[in-house]
Amino acid sequence: MKAALKGTYGSDTKTNTAVATLALSVGDCLLKASVSDKSLLNGGGILNDGVVFGIEKPDFFSIHYYVKEKDFKFQCNNTLRLAQKPLKFGYTHNRKDKENILEGTLELNSSNSVTAKYTLGGNCKEPPFPCSFKYSHLLGDQITTFEPSYDFKNDLCTFSASRKLTDDDFVKATIKYQESRSKLGGEWTKTLNSNANFKISADVSLADNKYIPEFSAETTWSFDV
């Protein structure tokens, strides 16, 4: 059995959380149970806030049940061939929101890929259409990636550049352009060892002249029990 602890802390205290997860291998599948700090610190004594049960078969499917919301989330993944090129296909169904999300990534070659995502149902019945596109290009140095994308529903244009500094260090810069709500962001991810890593992020709103950054830090530890 494996256990994992994940903690998030940021300038916005509402996003601060800690989550513990237990995973038990049963054949090719994993049985998972997660509990957050909300479950343990809830003043009303309700122990279902932040509790999630799930079963997963890595790279194939997952089913999760959110106790408080009484909601199921189903995901499945597969790889097909389109014009002799690999097409990674994903499907997600949110029962409570009645949403069906289709996502596919076509690998044009070892350095270029395109991703498309479309949402059916939910609150996506009228234009703007709930779809997004992303193009990914890996430079010849094999450590730098550029990814422009566009979200039609939110009229959001995003451009990101990421670079692998070392085997353990990864940095990424992102510009999100949206009318009156543009943002500039950056993050640094470091792998401490095979069982631990952390990420530090910062976002700055470009919509006003204050330019006050919002910071967040996230760390994950995993171990055998």
Side-chain angles (χ1 to χ4, degrees), residues 4-225:
L5 294 175
K6 181 178 180 180
T8 303
Y9 177 81
S11 304
D12 184 357
T13 56
K14 294 181 180 179
T15 63
N16 296 345
T17 185
V19 178
T21 302
L22 288 177
L24 175 65
S25 296
V26 180
D28 295 335
C29 297
L30 292 173
L31 300 180
K32 287 189 170 183
S34 299
V35 59
S36 74
D37 56 332
K38 294 180 180 179
S39 307
L40 304 176
L41 302 178
N42 190 300
I46 300 176
L47 297 180
N48 61 6
D49 189 4
V51 176
V52 183
F53 297 104
I55 179 172
E56 300 178 6
K57 185 175 182 180
D59 300 321
F60 187 66
F61 78 88
S62 67
I63 302 174
H64 293 93
Y65 177 67
Y66 300 82
V67 177
K68 182 180 180 180
E69 295 81 1
K70 298 181 180 179
D71 187 22
F72 283 96
K73 182 178 181 179
F74 170 76
Q75 292 178 291
C76 67
N77 304 282
N78 207 340
T79 300
L80 310 175
R81 305 291 297 186
L82 180 63
Q84 303 303 315
K85 300 182 184 300
L87 172 63
K88 296 180 181 180
F89 173 81
Y91 168 76
T92 302
H93 173 68
N94 296 314
R95 186 179 67 89
K96 190 173 183 179
D97 295 333
K98 298 181 179 179
E99 283 187 344
N100 298 282
I101 303 173
L102 304 175
E103 182 173 2
T105 298
L106 179 63
E107 296 183 5
L108 303 176
N109 51 49
S110 60
S111 301
N112 299 277
S113 65
V114 290
T115 300
K117 180 187 291 186
Y118 192 86
T119 303
L120 302 170
N123 298 319
C124 306
K125 300 179 181 180
E126 299 178 358
F129 297 105
C131 59
S132 62
F133 293 92
K134 180 176 71 174
Y135 170 71
S136 180
H137 175 65
L138 177 65
L139 295 185
D141 58 12
Q142 300 297 302
I143 58 175
T144 305
T145 303
F146 292 102
E147 293 183 327
S149 63
Y150 186 73
D151 183 337
F152 286 88
K153 180 183 178 182
N154 298 302
D155 192 21
L156 174 64
C157 183
T158 303
F159 180 83
S160 66
S162 57
R163 185 177 179 86
K164 188 176 182 179
L165 301 179
T166 67
D167 290 340
D168 301 325
D169 295 270
F170 177 87
V171 293
K172 183 177 182 180
T174 303
I175 297 177
K176 296 182 178 181
Y177 177 77
Q178 189 177 40
E179 187 176 0
S180 74
R181 290 195 301 175
S182 298
K183 281 188 175 183
L184 175 64
E187 65 181 52
W188 169 41
T189 303
K190 184 174 183 62
T191 301
L192 300 176
N193 52 54
S194 60
N195 298 317
N197 63 72
F198 72 82
K199 180 173 71 174
I200 298 176
S201 306
D203 289 300
V204 179
S205 175
L206 304 179
D208 50 44
N209 295 322
K210 296 181 180 179
Y211 303 116
I212 300 176
E214 294 183 357
F215 293 96
S216 66
E218 177 183 299
T219 182
T220 302
W221 296 80
S222 60
F223 45 87
D224 295 321
V225 293

